[in-house]
Every structure is written in structure tokens, then in C-alpha cells.
Amino acid sequence: MKMGLLQETDEAWMRHAIRLAQYAEQQKEVPVGAVLVKEDQCIAEGWNSPIYNDDPTAHAEIMAIRTAGKRLNNYRLINTTLYITLEPCVMCMGAIVHARISRLVFGAGDPKRGAVCHALDLANADFLNHKVNWTGGILATECSDLLKQFFHSKRSKLSE
């Protein structure tokens, strides 16, 4: 069966986000990557960098949102799609809503901290004035494996 164009496009951009997550891992950061796309063009990228930046808010999606806002000279990122390798946390989901990002695509779900549809269901929260369309599970195994391997390696080093 042939994949639909949207799924092919989503997978291509998610692979880009995975490469950014791998870069974060090389920097000894939790491997999460984000790509913000408008009209099938990358307008911003981000990867986890709270350790490097001494900034607890320096999550991949926040970094991409900050860059996009400056690049577009606008704090509203209307008609954009954010690709992220891990389901966003509550902080990042709040920023996604405030930025008015139209669509969110994530790889691995986060049952403990995910704020789209797992630990919290902010994508459907009635109190928010903007609804984000979302798709989860795109290349979920690859995204999840990156995180599992990273944390397994960290635990192994601690037990040595």
C-alpha cells in the first residue's frame, strides 16, 4: 500500500527532527529535536540545550519557537507545523498554544510528562483559546529508541 503524501511529508520532517535529537545527544543533552515548518519550508530548528544554555526552558520546541519568532518578526506562528521527537511537556505545550502553531506532529509519546494526550490532555483543553491539531506516533520507535539508549547509557555510567 502506498503512503499518503501527508504521511510521507511528516516522516521526512520527523527524520530531520531525529537528526537534531542526535545532535543534542552528541552535546550530552537529552536527545530531543524539533523542526518548525511553514509552506513546506523549514523556518526554525531546535534541540534540547538546557545544560549548555544553563536554562531550564531550553527545550527543543522552545528553541525552535524562539528562532521562528525572530525570523518571521512575529510572536504568532500561524499556519506552521511543529515536528518534535517527543510529546511536549506542559511548558512547551503552553508555548505552542500561545504561538498559535496550527499543527503539531510528535514521535514518541510521553506517558509520564506528555501534555498533549498522555499525562495531560492540553490539546483538547476547553480553557485554551487556541486548538492545536496534532498527530502522534510518527516514527515513534526510532524516537523512543533514541531516548531509551540515551538513558540506558547514562544509567550504565552511573553504575560503573
Side-chain angles (χ1 to χ4, degrees):
M1 183 164 70
K2 196 172 179 182
M3 282 195 297
L5 183 59
L6 184 61
Q7 185 175 352
E8 287 177 9
T9 300
D10 285 349
E11 286 186 9
W13 286 117
M14 189 60 71
R15 289 192 193 288
H16 186 125
I18 289 170
R19 288 191 295 276
L20 296 169
Q22 291 166 333
Y23 178 77
E25 183 175 25
Q26 291 169 5
Q27 307 304 309
K28 303 203 180 348
E29 300 277 0
V30 175
V32 179
V35 182
L36 193 62
V37 174
K38 184 172 184 155
E39 297 171 0
D40 206 33
Q41 298 291 315
C42 174
I43 58 169
E45 302 174 333
W47 52 87
N48 268 11
S49 57
I51 297 167
Y52 176 80
N53 286 308
D54 296 318
D55 179 357
T57 69
H59 290 193
E61 48 272 72
I62 298 294
M63 303 308 286
I65 289 168
R66 287 177 182 162
T67 300
K70 291 191 183 306
R71 183 162 290 146
L72 297 178
N73 294 313
N74 196 336
Y75 70 108
R76 298 286 192 229
L77 304 174
I78 297 166
N79 298 322
T80 59
T81 300
L82 179 65
Y83 293 88
I84 180 80
T85 57
L86 179 65
E87 180 181 354
C89 70
V90 65
M91 172 186 72
C92 294
M93 193 59 187
I96 290 164
V97 168
H98 286 292
R100 303 297 193 270
I101 290 171
S102 302
R103 185 166 177 256
L104 169 69
V105 180
F106 65 86
D110 187 348
K112 292 183 180 177
R113 288 168 289 284
V116 177
C117 60
H118 281 93
L120 290 172
D121 187 11
L122 293 181
N124 296 310
D126 290 334
F127 64 86
L128 294 174
N129 62 349
H130 173 69
K131 299 292 182 206
V132 178
N133 293 317
W134 63 274
T135 303
I138 302 296
L139 300 179
T141 301
E142 291 93 326
C143 295
S144 180
D145 285 351
L146 259 177
L147 290 158
K148 286 177 186 173
Q149 291 165 7
F150 175 80
F151 287 113
H152 176 76
S153 174
K154 277 197 118 24
R155 284 190 298 275
S156 295
K157 288 177 184 170
L158 288 174
S159 65
E160 290 177 353

